[in-house]
Amino acid sequence: MKHIIIDTREPSEFAASHVDGALNISARDFITGTLPSQLVDVPRDQSIIVYCRTGARSNTVGHILRSHGFTVITNGINEHHVAKLLAHDNA
């Protein structure tokens, strides 16, 4: 996988629609101070794209990921922007 894609919205928002292959780890799961278990073994230089509905929650999550040592983080803002990013990567 070229990128890890994290949808930081709540599970109900994720269930309604999401980017194919995205993990649903809500912003609330990051605010606990402990790195979510899905990311513990991820290399810190792995490319990660985070998104939500408006970019606010994903921006917060990006800062938290950086505090855990992750270095390649893109705030994809929302589902539609991420789809465009991925289409561009695959072009």
Side-chain angles (χ1 to χ4, degrees), residues 15-87:
S17 179
H18 59 271
V19 172
D20 286 341
L23 298 173
N24 182 216
I25 309 173
S26 74
R28 183 180 350 178
D29 293 335
F30 284 91
I31 295 173
T32 65
T34 304
L35 188 65
S37 61
Q38 301 95 314
L39 301 175
V40 170
D41 294 326
V42 173
R44 296 309 190 250
D45 62 348
Q46 169 68 51
S47 175
I48 298 175
I49 299 173
V50 292
Y51 74 94
C52 58
R53 185 173 56 84
T54 65
R57 288 176 280 186
S58 53
N59 185 53
T60 298
V61 167
H63 288 294
I64 293 168
L65 287 169
R66 284 181 189 87
S67 76
H68 285 282
F70 290 92
T71 59
V72 186
I73 302 161
T74 301
N75 185 350
I77 311 296
N78 62 39
E79 182 178 347
H80 301 291
H81 282 106
V82 172
K84 288 180 186 178
L85 281 172
L86 296 174

